[in-house]
Amino acid sequence: MAFVHARLDEDEQGTSGDGTSWRHHPPRSGTVIDDHDEPVVHAQRDIATHLATWDPPHIWGNLESRRLVVDLYEAADSNARTVLRDAVRALAMAYRDHSDFDPSWLLREW
């Protein structure tokens, strides 16, 4: 579980940290602005769409939902832990290229 906690913390450090959302302005343009109407980036439209889709609040929601799975595992009784262990391993698989990843955590290859 420490491995997944550490990776989630690293992911969180990669966000802007101030809670602002990102969006296109004007719509479908290559410019992404934050809640303060400050430009975040001007890029090709497909890159700008990617950035607007993965704005910090979206990332934080994703991180918190993954943390909840780990928290449920850590609080579970032994029967539930057996089931939740695979859920946590599935979360860990997203970090399979990390040097601390243990290949025994793989549930399947892709």
Side-chain angles (χ1 to χ4, degrees):
M1 297 318 109
F3 174 82
V4 175
H5 279 297
R7 300 301 73 77
L8 294 173
D9 290 345
E10 288 171 359
D11 286 350
E12 183 175 27
Q13 291 172 7
T15 65
S16 70
D18 66 359
T20 59
S21 283
W22 298 345
R23 66 191 185 286
H24 283 282
H25 185 75
R28 296 181 301 282
S29 71
T31 302
V32 176
I33 61 172
D34 65 16
D35 288 340
H36 310 290
D37 294 328
E38 294 294 324
V40 175
V41 68
H42 182 79
Q44 295 174 352
R45 192 167 71 194
D46 58 335
I47 295 170
T49 298
H50 175 81
L51 292 172
T53 301
W54 290 97
D55 71 312
H58 176 88
I59 298 297
W60 293 331
N62 186 300
L63 290 169
E64 285 306 308
S65 66
R66 291 186 279 159
R67 280 193 176 110
L68 178 59
V69 172
V70 176
D71 292 347
L72 290 170
Y73 170 82
E74 291 174 338
D77 63 28
S78 61
N79 292 331
R81 243 179 204 231
T82 301
V83 174
L84 289 169
R85 182 178 297 117
D86 283 347
V88 174
R89 285 181 176 172
L91 295 175
M93 287 173 58
Y95 305 100
R96 65 189 261 169
D97 61 340
H98 192 279
S99 61
D100 293 334
F101 182 81
D102 182 341
S104 71
W105 298 334
L106 287 174
L107 299 175
R108 66 177 174 211
E109 291 291 329
W110 70 76

